[in-house]
Each structure stands twice: as C-alpha cells, then as structure tokens.
Amino acid sequence: MVINQVTAGWANMETSARIATTPDALDFTVDNVEKALHQLYYDPNIENKNLAQKWLMQAQVSPQAWQFCWALLSPDKVPEIQYFGASALHTKISRYWSDIPSDQYETLKTQLFSQIACFSSGSKMVLTRLCVALASLALNTMPEAWPGAVPEMVRVFQEEGGGLDGRARCLALLELLTVLPEEFQTSRLPQNRKGQVRGALGREWGSVCPLLQQLLRRGDSPGAVKARVLRCLSSWVLLDVPLSESEGLVEDCFTALPDPELFDTAVEAIVNAISQPDSQRYVNTLLKLVPQVLSLQEQLREAVQSGDMETSHGICRIAVALGENHSRALLEQVEHWQGFLALVNMIMFCTGIPGHYPVNETTSSLTLTFWYTLQDDIMSFETERQVVYLQVYRPVYFQLVDVLLHKARFPSDQEYATWSSDEKEQFRIYRVDISDTLMYVYEMLGAELLSNLYEKLGRILTNTEPASSWQHTEALLYGFQSIAETIDVNYSDVIPGLIGLIPRININNVQLADTVMFTIGALAEWLADHPVMLSSVLPLVLQALGNPDLSVSSVSTLKKICRECKYDLPPYASNIVAVSQEVLIKQIHKTSQCMWLMQALGFLLSALPVEEILRNLHSLITPYIQQLEKLADETPNPSNKLAIIHILGLLSNLFTTLDISKQEDESGESTAPPVKTAPPPPGPNPVVVVLQQVFALIQTVLSKWLNDSQVVEAVCAIFEKSVKTLLHDFAPMVSQLSEMLGQMYSTIPQASALDLTRQMVHIFASETEHFPPIKALFELVTSVTLSIFQQGPRDHPDIVDSFMQLQAQALKRKPDLFLSESLDVKAVFHCGVLSLKFPEAPTVKSTCLFFTELLPHCSDVPPLARVVQEDGKLLLQAVLEAIGGGSSRGLMDQFAEVLFSLNKHCFSLLTMWLKEVLQSPGFPSTRVTSQQKDTFTQQILRERVNKRRVKDIVKEFTLVCRGLHGTEYAADY
C-alpha cells in the first residue's frame, strides 16, 4: 500500500508544506498529490493539514488533474487516494466542462463506465463519486450529444461480462440512477439549459420506472437492492415526475413497510412522492392512496403499544404528508368525504399519541401544521360549502383542543424530576407550538371555545368533578393564556368568571403558579377595562414576586398590569412599591428581572401626583444612591464595577417608563380613556429632579471609570433613556449634561457619548435657548473625533459609525451647525470619504447616510457647497471603487443612494467627474470595458427622479465589475 510506503518524516512534511505555499513552483504529480493527502489525513499539525487542504484544492482544478486523477484510481491505491481521484474527475467535469473537447466525450464516458464497473465491488464512497462524475457528464451532454443516456446506462450494466456478479452490477446501476437527479439539483447549469435538461430527465423516467418496479416486485431481489430502489425513487420524484406515472411504484412501497430493513427508506420514498407540489394534479391517484394509508392503522397501533417510536413516527409522516399537502384537493372530493375524515381521525390519533413529548414520543409534533392547513382550506371555501364542512369538522377541532391540552400537561413531579434540561426545553418549545395552534383554532371555534374551557375549569375548581391533578388545571389555564395573549377577549362573557376562579386554585406547584401568573398577565388589557377585578388578582402577583422560582412570570405580569392599568393602580401603589423594594433589596431576582421590575414601577409612578412620585422615588432610589456613593469611593475592581452597572441600569429602566407628560405606553398607543388624561403639572419633571440630585455623584463615578466603556455606556444610557422619554421636559439638564459629555469625550472618546450627543442634537438643536451648549458640544466632539482620524481610525469602527450618524443627524435637524468657523467642514467631509472604505457594513451605511443628508444642503450651506465643489470628485471615486468590488454587494443600495443624491443636487459636477474618473484604465474594475462604463454613465445621469432605477443600474454594474454578471450568483442578488 502506498500509504505504508510514504514516510511520515518531517522532511516530506516540510517539502509538502513548502510546496503548498508556493503553488506556482509546484508540479501537480501523482507522487506529490499522495504526499499531500497523507499530510491531510495523518499529520497531527493543524497548520500542515490546512496547507495540504489548500494545495489539494488547487491541484483538483489544475490542468494536470486530468493526468493524475486516473492514476489515483489504480486498484493498488488506498480508498482515500482513490476518492480524491474520483472527486477531481467530478470537479473537472462539473465545473470546467467547457475545457473538454467534444471529440473526447465518448472516450471519457467509456472510461467512466469502466471505472464504475471496477469499483462496483470495491469502495462504496469511491463508487458514488464516480457515479456522480458520470451523472455530471450525462447532464452536460443530454439530450443533444447523449440522447439516450439512461437507457444506455441500463443496457451497459445489464450486459453480462467483466466477471462481475449480477447483484454488484445492479447496485452500481441503481447508485448511478440515484445520483443522476441529485446531481441535477446541485448542478451549475445555466438557467435556460437547466430547463432543457429537466425536461430530458423527465422523459427518461419512462425507462427508470419499469426497472425499479420490476426489481421491487421480484421475490428474489436482495434487501440491499430493494433499499437502493426505494432511494432511487426518492431521488427521481424530486424532479416532479408525474405521480400518475409512478402510482404503481408508490403503491409497491407500501408493501415494503412491514420489512424493518426497508421501512425507513420506504417511508422516505412515499413521503417524497406525495409531497411534490405537482402531485395535487393527480386527484385519482391521491384517492387511491388514501385507503393505502388507512391500511397502516393496525401497524401504527401495534407500534404505539409496543413502544416502537420509529415505526409510529414513520407512519405518521406518511399520513401527515398526504393530509397536509392535499387537504384541499381531498376535501373537494365530496363523494369521498368519509375516507378523508378517516384520514383526519388517523392524524388525530397521531396528535394524541400516548406518552409525554419528547421522552416517550416524538411523533405528535409532526401533526400540528396539518391542523393549520386543514382549517385554512375549510375557511377558504365560499360560505355555503364552508357551512357544510364546519358541521363535520367543528366537532373534530373541539376534540383536537382536548387532545392538545392533554398533550400539554406536565408529567408527574417525580417523572419530571428525571428529565434532562434538554428534554425540559424541548417540552417547553412543544407547549409553545401547542399554544400557537390553540390560538389559531380559536379563529374557527370562537367564543364557544373559551366557554368550553371555562366549564371544564369550573367543574375542577368547584369540586363537581372527581379530584384531578394540578396538571389538568394547569393545562386548561394554559389554554386560556394561549388565546388571551394574542386574541382580544375583552368581549368574552367568561373572563369575569375566570378571574373569579383564579383565587380558588390551590397553587402548590411552580409550573401551575407560573401559568397562573402568565394567564393574569395575558388578561392585563381586560383588567384595564374592568379595574374592579384587580383586587382579586393583584395580591397573588405581589405574593409571587417574593418567590425566585416565579421570577420571570411574576415580574413580567406585574409589568403588564402596571403598563395597562396604571390609572387604576394608585390605591395599590404604596403596597406595590413596598413589595417591589423588599424583593429588590433581598436580591431575589436576576438582573434582567430587576430591570423589568423598575420599568413596572416607572409605569406605576407615572399615574401618581408629582408629590407622591417624588416621595416614592426618594424611598425607592435612596438605598441605591447610598450604595453608589460608597462604590464611588472604592478603588475600581471587577466586583464593584458590576454593582455600579447594575445600579445605573436600575435607574435607566425606571426613567425609561416614568413619563408624566403623556398617558402612553411603550409603543406610543394610549392605554387610558381620554377622561382620565390630565394636563401635565407645572414645575420640573420628577425624573429631572432626581437626575439633578445625583448628577454630581454620577460625575464622581465617571471620573474613576472613564476608561471602562461598559460603565460609560451605563451612564450614557441613563440620560439617553431619560431624554427619549421626557423629550423637551429634559430641558433643564441640557447645559450641564452637554458640559459633562464634552469633558467625557475629550478625555476618552467612546461611541456611547456620541450616541447621546446625537439624541441631544435631535431634540434640542433647533431650540434657540439650547442651541449654544449643543453647538459647543457638537464642535468639541467633532474636533476630538477628527484627531482620532489623524491618528488612525481603523481601531475604532464603533466611534466612526456613531460619529457619522451624529453628523447626519446634525445635517437633518440643524444644518446651521455647519456654518460655524470653528467646524472644519472639509476635514469632516474627508473623514466621510475615508469611512466609506471601512470593512464594517454598519459604518459604511451610516457614512452613506451622512452624504445623502449633506448633498441636498449644497444650495443653502455655503461651506458644504465649497467642500463638495472642491472635493466631491474624491467622494465619487470612493463610491465607484466600492461599486467596482471594494465593498460588499449587500451595500450597493446605500452607494446607489449617494450617487442618486449627487445626480440630483450636483448634476453638472457629476457629469464632469464621471467622465474624468472613469477614463482611468482598469477603474473601477479591470473587467469592465470603456463601452460598459459609458453606458453606466449615461444610465446614471438620465435618472434624477427614479431612485429604484438607480439602485438597479448600480446592482447590474457591480455584477459586471465583479465578473458575476449572468452567473448563478447574480440570480440570487
């Protein structure tokens, strides 16, 4: 064996590695390929492996591959080497077909047939690669150069000779026929040719189908042959061969299902055949398949009883494939309604299959999409037919609800304790899928579904039903929650009764308690319209806040109630604040839940009188301020850093939702009736009062942590969220915050400071009173950032990104900022041109936005007009360089917008610049001709109104520049 002959000494390794790094000097010989393969498979050094891999990839596409690939297939080589030879052959045929002279086609075909015959009794992986190579040759030559490809393949392998036994020849033929359609699916054929070849392959099915049927029906066919037949069918049906033509073969697949060795491949073949989009045209064939599927019910029941999950899973896949893909076609066959209803009931059995998902079964989840599809198809019929179908299927869907809620039940506490964390997570996701299905089913069943659930829950909780488990109660509540979360239940007459039942639930389990909380949260909007019911549920929520196991559900529910019902909560406010303070001090909840809790308190306090807000804020915040004062005096270390960020985060989240000026929720929609809306009280905003009180302390913290971007971000977040919430009410803080921001950024520039500056510019730059501090801050941060550009900005893409966003915002809100003599407009423009060449997409997008905001002001801001006139050509060069291949294709729309803006606002200059810039040979790409550049120029200059058209022109031109025009890559663009 060659591998034994190749030494593993470092001399050989070094030679191979050296050669791999200098491919131009390398001779791609059989010997060198074998050495490289040895290095790839056996060298322990990962760098050497990577070098070998790279070198071998170059070898595969080299002209010498035609010589060494045949030699590597020699019988005395090991399979790894033979496999590389076969792969090289496939690569040359599939990717470099145009290099092969047409007079060599026949010779190549003969050689491949010969090699496949040799390997039919050899290595399976090498045989497959050779079959794929011949398949690629067939796809490139059919139908013109090789019109009867498939019949010839069958004839060659059916002929006696070569000393090969019939079984080996048969398996080799089946492998070849299997990979032929698969190779077509992944081939790089041009689109017009692909359609031609698909048609030719479709016509060849007439030769393949009888052969497969004959082999499957023969009693003496070995199991391996039948399995390969089934795989071959799976492959061919993906070409959308008519289901009517493969009807007999698909029916034969059902006879293979009782054989455990063939079961999986038979299932795959049947599912693939009936899942093809085209198969719905063959209704008669589908109707014949329904009894075939129903005949599997006995095998399904036996599999379920014996715990054979694989068999039950496979049969379920077949039933669902038929029902899901063809429900409308089968529903329309009214005279066969009983057969389809039986199929629906079979799928219902699969949905309710005994056992807990995913531990005892994994089948039920396959069926959920079917119920969506069936409902959609029923509801899509005209009203008269819909009524008829609903008479039959409404009872089925009520049964489905019972089945789904049974499947959603938790196992016993003892059993659940044995589940792994992965199994618990899968079960959680499964319950979410059930929840989504219930929500969808409500669209069909309506209010009657809620009444149904309410009656069942009432029977359990009023002891009119024999003692049932907590799991039963939890599942029914989960059904309510699923519907109430997304459906407007405000007009349901059972919700008051449900709210009345909730306090009667004996909550002795975490899962049940969680669902109670989430159900209350889902009804928060209803509670806002029925505030009298708050007293029934609020104590439960506040009690749950103290339980760390209910952290997520209790805090999120309180947040929803405080957001939706804040105008009805003042009587409960002191109690809510007290309980919240207690759990915060005890540190019961994780950081994210603490933040949610602060947001809840922000909503709550927003509806109180200002004096009460200030009083509550004082008691709520004072402990944290005292802790922050203590931390500010300590020497910085990782532990107190986390504590500081946590406290700053709590303040940020509180100020995010504490808004007394507007009775609006986070999404900007009114949550209160107009009668409850009061005019904002006079005097400073409570948030501003608090911020002014802690401002000096925050400055102290900053002075010690200015080097730490996370602490700086946390400080900026407090002010940024406050500015966003308060808007103009933040005005008293503008001057001192502007001063602090300037000091921060001058000392250590950070992106978060620029983002906060952008917010300030956005809100206050247009106000005469605040323009001076905003102007001073803007000029300062611009000057500091320009110095960063002089030192080398590549290490700070986040700062460059935020800087460009700030400049764009300034141009949009207050272009007068660029009239200042203190602002170096030319330098800012040059920084923008430089930023266009950054590799980070967000930075480039922000820079393009800057230029699209700048160019319209050429007419009204003289400093901008001057810089564009003097240096606009540099901008155009940078944009064309990016379009020519310097930037990601995903950014072309942004560059097109800059071009469009140049054309709209600087037309005469652009006309001149385009001519000058595109005269340079090889610019913006060596792949474009002068004629193509001229056409591009004319197209761009012609479009001064249609931005969409400019984007299309740029996309087309960038493909030409990159050599991708007309390729498969262009099709996805």
Side-chain angles (χ1 to χ4, degrees), residues 855-967:
L855 291 166
H857 290 294
C858 287
S859 56
D860 58 5
V861 182
L864 295 177
R866 278 196 300 275
V867 75
V868 171
Q869 192 151 10
E870 292 168 11
D871 297 324
K873 185 174 164 184
L874 293 174
L875 170 61
L876 177 64
Q877 279 180 311
V879 168
L880 291 176
E881 194 177 307
I883 294 170
S887 276
S888 161
R889 278 160 49 203
L891 293 167
M892 290 306 110
D893 277 358
Q894 283 74 25
F895 286 110
E897 292 200 7
V898 178
L899 261 185
F900 179 77
S901 199
L902 277 167
N903 197 24
K904 192 172 182 180
H905 303 288
C906 316
F907 178 73
S908 55
L909 289 169
L910 179 64
T911 306
M912 178 175 64
W913 292 335
L914 276 170
K915 188 177 179 183
E916 292 173 6
V917 169
L918 289 175
Q919 270 182 345
S920 304
F923 183 85
S925 164
T926 54
R927 294 187 177 92
V928 285
T929 63
S930 297
Q931 178 59 49
Q932 287 169 322
K933 289 196 272 191
D934 289 343
T935 303
F936 172 70
T937 300
Q938 290 164 15
Q939 288 176 323
I940 289 292
L941 293 174
R942 200 180 298 132
E943 297 295 341
R944 300 183 67 187
V945 177
N946 190 339
K947 190 189 292 184
R948 181 72 262 161
R949 175 69 187 129
V950 173
K951 289 180 178 180
D952 291 339
I953 293 165
V954 167
K955 281 183 179 178
E956 190 83 4
F957 190 61
T958 197
L959 290 171
V960 175
C961 289
R962 296 164 198 258
L964 297 174
H965 195 264
T967 67

Side-chain angles (χ1 to χ4, degrees), residues 424-482:
K424 289 177 180 177
E425 176 60 12
Q426 285 185 57
F427 182 59
R428 185 194 68 78
I429 294 168
Y430 175 67
R431 278 170 52 99
V432 170
D433 291 340
I434 286 177
S435 172
D436 292 343
T437 310
L438 289 170
M439 177 199 74
Y440 206 74
V441 168
Y442 179 83
E443 298 293 331
M444 178 192 274
L445 302 182
E448 194 181 339
L449 171 55
L450 289 177
S451 302
N452 190 298
L453 294 175
Y454 174 66
E455 285 171 18
K456 288 176 179 169
L457 188 63
R459 284 201 298 272
I460 293 172
L461 296 178
T462 53
N463 297 321
T464 56
E465 196 169 276
S468 58
S469 63
W470 69 262
Q471 287 93 338
H472 194 179
T473 305
E474 190 278 336
L476 286 167
L477 269 181
Y478 187 68
F480 266 112
Q481 177 206 324
S482 302

Side-chain angles (χ1 to χ4, degrees), residues 585-750:
I585 290 166
K586 288 181 178 175
Q587 298 182 340
I588 284 172
H589 301 292
K590 291 180 180 175
T591 299
S592 54
Q593 277 72 56
C594 291
M595 302 305 157
W596 292 357
L597 189 51
M598 278 301 201
Q599 287 179 23
L601 294 172
F603 286 124
L604 174 72
L605 297 180
S606 298
L608 300 180
V610 171
E611 312 81 59
E612 284 190 42
I613 295 176
L614 288 168
R615 189 171 65 251
N616 279 294
L617 279 176
H618 179 74
S619 66
L620 188 62
I621 290 174
T622 299
Y624 295 109
I625 301 305
Q626 290 169 349
Q627 193 182 347
L628 195 59
E629 285 171 343
K630 185 172 170 235
L631 290 164
D633 290 336
E634 294 177 7
T635 307
N637 65 64
S639 173
N640 57 27
K641 170 186 166 176
L642 289 175
I644 288 170
I645 290 173
H646 180 74
I647 293 170
L648 295 174
L650 291 174
L651 295 176
S652 291
N653 281 277
L654 178 63
F655 297 156
T656 300
T657 54
L658 207 173
D659 183 7
I660 63 168
S661 64
K662 295 183 183 132
Q663 281 68 40
E664 289 179 355
D665 66 5
E666 291 164 307
S667 62
E669 295 175 0
S670 176
T671 59
V675 293
K676 294 183 180 178
T677 305
N685 190 291
V687 172
V688 172
V689 173
V690 173
L691 284 175
Q692 286 175 328
Q693 288 171 355
V694 301
F695 197 80
L697 174 58
I698 289 174
Q699 283 183 306
T700 307
V701 171
L702 265 181
S703 66
K704 287 198 174 180
W705 289 93
L706 206 49
N707 281 311
D708 192 293
S709 62
Q710 288 175 303
V711 174
V712 172
E713 271 179 37
V715 168
C716 289
I718 290 181
F719 294 105
E720 191 174 357
K721 289 181 178 180
S722 302
V723 169
K724 279 182 179 175
T725 306
L726 303 182
L727 300 175
H728 297 284
D729 282 357
F730 190 82
M733 298 285 300
V734 170
S735 183
Q736 60 191 131
L737 180 57
S738 296
E739 189 180 343
M740 187 184 86
L741 267 176
Q743 292 168 353
M744 277 169 57
Y745 196 73
S746 300
T747 312
I748 296 178
Q750 298 202 22

Side-chain angles (χ1 to χ4, degrees), residues 461-507:
L461 296 178
T462 53
N463 297 321
T464 56
E465 196 169 276
S468 58
S469 63
W470 69 262
Q471 287 93 338
H472 194 179
T473 305
E474 190 278 336
L476 286 167
L477 269 181
Y478 187 68
F480 266 112
Q481 177 206 324
S482 302
I483 295 162
E485 265 179 343
T486 46
I487 305 290
D488 181 5
V489 294
N490 279 9
Y491 304 104
S492 169
D493 55 1
V494 303
I495 302 300
L498 172 64
I499 295 284
L501 284 175
I502 285 176
R504 303 183 64 155
I505 297 172
N506 178 24
I507 302 176

Side-chain angles (χ1 to χ4, degrees), residues 816-852:
D816 288 2
L817 286 165
F818 291 82
L819 291 170
S820 169
E821 291 182 3
S822 307
L823 195 75
D824 191 341
V825 176
K826 193 179 184 77
V828 172
F829 187 91
H830 279 266
C831 289
V833 172
L834 187 62
S835 303
L836 286 176
K837 300 176 184 180
F838 270 49
E840 291 83 7
T843 304
V844 176
K845 286 182 180 179
S846 300
T847 308
C848 288
L849 176 65
F850 162 64
F851 282 116
T852 53

Side-chain angles (χ1 to χ4, degrees), residues 337-356:
W337 70 272
Q338 288 173 309
F340 183 59
L341 182 58
L343 178 67
V344 171
N345 285 323
M346 181 179 175
I347 295 173
M348 180 77 78
F349 176 81
C350 295
T351 304
I353 206 160
H356 287 290

